[in-house]
């Protein structure tokens, strides 16, 4: 069983508002279930990574084929969006909430009735892709909150810190790339906002 006792001590993290539901478990899910969840998460993270794919320059001889592929891709995207709309109407997706994510864990402030203690087992249902009613299902354990990765007033509720358990190499790699991309955008946005403040009269 692998997990970090302090998932925000090293590496990058980012903050966002995303739907996330905490599913309590009495004990660590079985190895077979953890393997299935890792496969599911890898597939979803791989799909999410494709959203940032940028089209490369196409050779002149292949432009016709590329145009046909793009036309089919647009149709598939429309079908996928319509299917997601239908499923979202039936799914009970939780309200987005502020949270911080690193490649090793997640931190959020507990809602009313969410009481967890160090060592508790959970599955975090994290809806990562907007409009897609299929969450990441991350096996995690509650660990002590060493640092507040989630920015908030001092008077606010103490955040809960969860450390991902037995994340596969593939899922961990894709999650790390996602965290890096979002962190980079977060930094760029803060720099842009800082620049606007500097030039404001």
């Amino acid at each position: 069983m692998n997990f970090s006792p302090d998932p925000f001590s090293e590496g990058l993290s980012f903050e966002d508002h995303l739907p996330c539901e905490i599913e309590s478990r009495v004990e660590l899910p079985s190895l077979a279930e953890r393997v299935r969840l890792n496969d599911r998460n890898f597939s979803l993270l791989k799909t999410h990574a494709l959203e940032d794919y940028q089209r490369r320059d196409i050779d002149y001889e292949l432009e016709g084929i590329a145009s046909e592929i793009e036309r089919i891709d647009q149709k598939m995207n429309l079908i996928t969006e319509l299917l997601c709309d239908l499923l979202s109407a039936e799914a009970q997706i939780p309200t987005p909430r502020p949270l911080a994510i690193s490649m090793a864990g997640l931190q959020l402030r507990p809602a009313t009735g969410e009481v967890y203690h160090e060592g508790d087992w959970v599955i975090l249902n994290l809806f990562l892709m907007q409009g897609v009613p299929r969450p990441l299902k991350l096996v995690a354990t509650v660990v002590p909150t060493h640092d507040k990765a989630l920015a908030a007033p001092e008077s606010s509720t103490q955040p809960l810190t969860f450390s991902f358990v037995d994340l596969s190499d593939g899922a961990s790699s894709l999650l790390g790339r996602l965290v890096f991309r979002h962190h980079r955008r977060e930094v760029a946005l803060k720099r842009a906002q800082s620049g606007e403040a500097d030039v404001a009269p």
Side-chain angles (χ1 to χ4, degrees), residues 107-111 114 116 143-148 150 152-161:
Q107 189 176 99
L108 51 72
R109 298 190 183 276
E114 288 182 339
Y116 294 94
V143 294
T145 299
H146 298 282
D147 297 308
K148 291 184 180 180
L150 190 61
E154 290 298 324
S155 59
S156 63
T157 307
Q158 177 76 1
L160 284 170
T161 302

Side-chain angles (χ1 to χ4, degrees), residues 36-52:
R36 286 195 298 270
L37 292 179
N38 267 312
D39 289 343
R40 169 199 174 100
N41 292 334
F42 178 78
S43 175
L44 191 61
L45 286 165
K46 193 171 183 180
T47 301
H48 188 277
L50 292 175
E51 291 187 346
D52 285 335

Side-chain angles (χ1 to χ4, degrees), residues 14 34 40 48 53 58 65 94 96-97 104 109 116 142 144 158 163 182 184:
F14 72 94
R34 299 201 303 273
R40 169 199 174 100
H48 188 277
Y53 174 77
I58 304 296
I65 297 175
R97 58 199 295 182
R109 298 190 183 276
Y116 294 94
V142 180
Q158 177 76 1
S163 184
H182 280 266
R184 184 177 58 188

